Amino acid sequence: MSERRVRPASKNARKSVWRRALTPPQPPEPKNPPPADPAPPEPSEVASVVQAALYRDGVRVSAPATLAETFRELREQPSGMAWIGLARPTEAELLSLASEFDLHPLAVEDAMEAHQRPKLERYGDTLFVVLSAARYLDAPEEVDFGELHVFVGPDFVITVRHGAAPDLSAVRRRMEETPDLLKLGPEAVLYAILDAVVDGYAPVVAGVQNDIDEIETEVFRGDPEVSRRIYELSREMVEFQRATRPLVGMLHGLIAGFSKYGTDEELQRYLRDVADHVTHTSERVDGFRQALTDILTVNATLVTQQQNAEMRALAEAGFEQNEEVKKISSWAAILFAPTLVGTIYGMNFQHMPELGWTFGYPFAIGLMGVVCVSLYVIFKRKDWL
């Protein structure tokens, strides 16, 4: 990309500039002169122009309220750079930008629609970058993803945000507080945006790591809801992987074009540092997915073991119940024999031969005893008693 660049006087000077840019600004010490008015924050849910500003030599010279004013002032200041921030813009606004800055129709079409994969495309001297930002929400313990489209030209940077993340107002403030960095041009703004998106991954990685630690505890504690939590977090990690993995290739593509497009030496160091962070994050995300897969396997094994233990307990209970039924049935059969004999002889019939027999009563008692003893011996041999 061909663009105007003003290099710092020395490497040490540039290094200090970048350190100040990468370090969040600290509150100034109380002094007599009033501090400079900070740039107004960019709201997260505004469907129009969030903020537009014109810069010359790294210093803001104006903040037009509309796109038309931005176009007019940029024409009047050919040595300036426009930085336009949009959030969920209308089709008319994007078409107006496309007409003014000669944006490629395919890039404009992608910017109108969210749910684009992270990518980097070059149309002439304009770069079109799609980034997927992420932030960790503590209350619901989930990852919220946002989409950011960036157009980078010789004298303009246009950001189109779909979602609450990332907070570009912080990027703008840091850049405005380091004019030596900002005057390097649109490329410096692009790399600062890349750094903000990649830095936003760090809290997500920390939050997910904490979730995985909690899930491991819940798995071995036998929490019945842990399977659902594992599944939901696995889906978020798939989305997170889609956001980080393409970014590695994108940054290496930019690094490969350093010589061709004459990228500033300090910007090269900066981009390599961002690429290292992205690679580290991508590896962590891959590790999270593998860890969640292993945890899901362990959880399934533990659930199966628990189910087997429950089935074994049910089987043992059924066996014990069967043994009790055997005993009850055996004693019921033993008691049934004398009851049957006694019932027969207890009938009020006159013509029963045994009633007049002298040995009728001893015979009935003996018959009852023989039958009971015989049944007891049989059931005892079958281990029912």
Side-chain angles (χ1 to χ4, degrees):
M1 184 191 316
S2 59
E3 58 184 9
R4 298 174 304 280
R5 298 180 182 85
V6 180
R7 298 177 182 268
S10 65
K11 293 184 178 180
N12 292 334
R14 288 197 302 268
K15 188 172 183 180
S16 62
V17 167
W18 282 98
R19 284 179 176 174
R20 291 197 301 271
L22 294 176
T23 304
Q26 300 296 326
E29 296 294 334
K31 295 181 180 179
N32 293 330
D37 293 333
E42 299 185 5
S44 59
E45 300 294 338
V46 179
S48 186
V49 180
V50 175
Q51 190 175 31
L54 267 68
Y55 301 89
R56 183 188 296 133
D57 293 331
V59 179
R60 182 196 288 224
V61 295
S62 65
T66 64
L67 289 178
E69 294 180 11
T70 305
F71 301 155
R72 178 179 56 79
E73 294 187 17
L74 185 60
R75 295 190 200 101
E76 295 174 354
Q77 302 178 21
S79 61
M81 179 190 72
W83 184 352
I84 302 172
L86 305 174
R88 295 189 178 91
T90 63
E91 182 177 351
E93 289 171 336
L94 284 178
L95 292 178
S96 175
L97 289 168
S99 176
E100 180 67 25
F101 296 108
D102 193 24
L103 304 180
H104 197 278
L106 293 178
V108 175
E109 182 181 355
D110 288 344
M112 289 182 183
E113 300 290 337
H115 309 295
Q116 300 290 327
R117 65 177 181 83
K119 60 182 178 179
L120 182 148
E121 295 178 350
R122 187 179 293 275
Y123 299 98
D125 57 358
T126 301
L127 276 177
F128 176 62
V129 182
V130 179
L131 302 172
S132 182
R135 59 174 182 166
Y136 186 80
L137 305 179
D138 291 325
E141 293 186 340
E142 62 184 26
V143 183
D144 177 50
F145 294 93
E147 195 167 313
L148 178 65
H149 300 185
V150 185
F151 295 89
V152 183
D155 58 353
F156 66 87
V157 177
I158 302 170
T159 59
V160 180
R161 194 172 72 241
H162 296 276
D167 181 15
L168 295 181
S169 61
V171 179
R172 189 185 292 266
R173 285 195 299 270
R174 285 206 300 269
M175 294 293 286
E176 290 180 352
E177 291 172 359
T178 54
D180 290 339
L181 172 61
L182 186 55
K183 69 182 180 181
L184 294 178
E187 277 188 348
V189 176
L190 171 61
Y191 298 153
I193 292 173
L194 287 170
D195 181 68
V197 172
V198 173
D199 285 348
Y201 294 153
V204 178
V205 170
V208 172
Q209 181 64 67
N210 183 66
D211 287 346
I212 291 178
D213 293 341
E214 292 179 356
I215 286 174
E216 290 177 343
T217 302
E218 292 174 359
V219 164
F220 291 101
R221 195 170 55 196
D223 192 330
E225 299 295 328
V226 70
S227 296
R228 180 183 182 88
R229 189 175 181 187
I230 295 173
Y231 173 73
E232 292 175 349
L233 189 57
S234 298
R235 290 187 59 186
E236 291 178 350
M237 288 305 95
V238 171
E239 194 72 21
F240 200 9
Q241 198 172 49
R242 290 173 182 171
T244 57
R245 182 171 290 178
L247 195 54
V248 176
M250 291 166 52
L251 289 171
H252 283 90
L254 285 175
I255 292 173
F258 283 163
S259 299
K260 181 178 180 180
Y261 297 102
T263 305
D264 182 84
E265 183 180 350
E266 193 64 28
L267 289 179
Q268 295 181 25
R269 297 193 187 98
Y270 177 36
L271 185 58
R272 290 192 185 96
D273 181 67
V274 176
D276 289 341
H277 291 173
V278 171
T279 302
H280 176 71
T281 301
S282 181
E283 292 173 352
R284 290 291 302 276
V285 175
D286 292 343
F288 289 156
R289 285 203 63 187
Q290 184 61 44
L292 288 171
T293 301
D294 295 341
I295 291 173
L296 190 60
T297 302
V298 172
N299 182 64
T301 303
L302 293 176
V303 169
T304 302
Q305 291 178 351
Q306 183 179 2
Q307 291 176 345
N308 292 339
E310 293 175 354
M311 293 296 295
R312 184 160 53 264
L314 289 175
E316 292 174 355
F319 177 78
E320 293 177 358
Q321 185 178 11
N322 188 42
E323 292 298 315
E324 295 296 328
V325 169
K326 287 180 181 180
K327 293 179 180 180
I328 295 174
S329 300
S330 300
W331 285 113
I334 293 172
L335 296 176
F336 175 74
T339 302
L340 177 62
V341 175
T343 302
I344 292 175
Y345 284 97
M347 296 180 181
N348 295 321
F349 293 109
Q350 294 182 1
H351 304 286
M352 293 183 69
E354 292 83 358
L355 295 178
W357 185 30
T358 304
F359 299 102
Y361 176 74
F363 174 77
I365 296 298
L367 180 61
M368 293 180 189
V370 169
V371 172
C372 289
V373 171
S374 299
L375 290 176
Y376 179 82
V377 171
I378 293 173
F379 291 140
K380 193 69 174 178
R381 287 181 177 179
K382 291 186 175 183
D383 201 24
W384 282 29
L385 293 174

